[in-house]
Amino acid sequence: MIREKNQPTKPDVRFPPPLMFLGFILLGLLADELLGLPAIARGPELQWFGGALGAAGVALIIISLGLFRASGENPEPWTPTATIIARGPYRHTRNPMYLAMLMIQIGTALWFSSAGILFFVPIAFIAADRFIIRKEEAYLEKTFGIAYRNYCQQVRRWL
């Protein structure tokens, strides 16, 4: 593939997304402790739902990583890519790993009845969208052009 001079060779993402989500979970737990936030509604059903949601998020990450490996691609968002993965969960969302990380964050909040973690869910969503996904999308559009734009028309960013 021949690249134009102004075409980036890799996405401009500089921080590991899992660490960002982990950071927001830890900030939420810290906020609970320091601010004495009340626990969110507690009950075994809600706690188990949180556990199941978190486990589903882990499974989604494992499946997505498997697709990257099967395609010969590196899942780290700061590395170049030669392929648009459009099968498995990527048929339904362009960002299954980020969706999975949000599922894990919400699941953790429910499991621990943490208002602090839940508070940081929309902040994590916005941070992932603005500081990671948009950079990845700009790189993919410049790299794959019409093929990526067609994929974007067929598959939503989130769900």
Side-chain angles (χ1 to χ4, degrees):
M1 172 186 294
I2 298 173
R3 296 186 190 277
E4 297 175 20
K5 283 187 179 186
N6 64 350
Q7 192 171 15
T9 58
K10 60 184 182 173
D12 187 28
V13 176
R14 298 178 182 173
F15 193 77
L19 292 181
M20 181 192 76
F21 284 92
L22 177 61
F24 282 123
I25 289 171
L26 294 175
L27 279 174
L29 290 172
L30 185 64
D32 285 339
E33 195 64 33
L34 293 178
L35 302 175
L37 298 175
I40 57 176
R42 191 170 191 115
E45 299 86 7
L46 194 58
Q47 189 175 23
W48 285 107
F49 176 75
L53 186 63
V58 170
L60 185 54
I61 288 174
I62 291 169
I63 291 166
S64 299
L65 288 173
L67 289 171
F68 268 83
R69 287 196 181 103
S71 299
E73 292 293 334
N74 188 336
E76 295 170 341
W78 53 83
T79 60
T81 187
T83 306
I84 297 172
I85 299 173
R87 60 184 204 264
Y90 290 91
R91 290 175 296 144
H92 308 288
T93 173
R94 295 193 312 258
N95 298 291
M97 285 196 266
Y98 299 126
L99 178 61
M101 289 178 219
L102 282 170
M103 291 166 63
I104 293 168
Q105 186 175 355
I106 294 167
T108 303
L110 296 176
W111 183 261
F112 290 108
S113 298
S114 172
I117 296 173
L118 203 56
F119 171 81
F120 281 104
V121 168
I123 296 168
F125 175 87
I126 292 167
D129 185 65
R130 300 291 188 273
F131 302 115
I132 301 168
I133 294 170
R134 288 191 184 189
K135 290 179 178 185
E136 288 179 349
E137 288 180 339
Y139 164 77
L140 292 170
E141 185 167 351
K142 288 180 181 175
T143 301
F144 297 106
I146 191 77
Y148 183 70
R149 286 191 295 278
N150 287 340
Y151 173 66
C152 290
Q153 289 178 344
Q154 296 169 357
V155 180
R156 292 180 182 182
R157 180 181 281 162
W158 291 99
L159 283 179

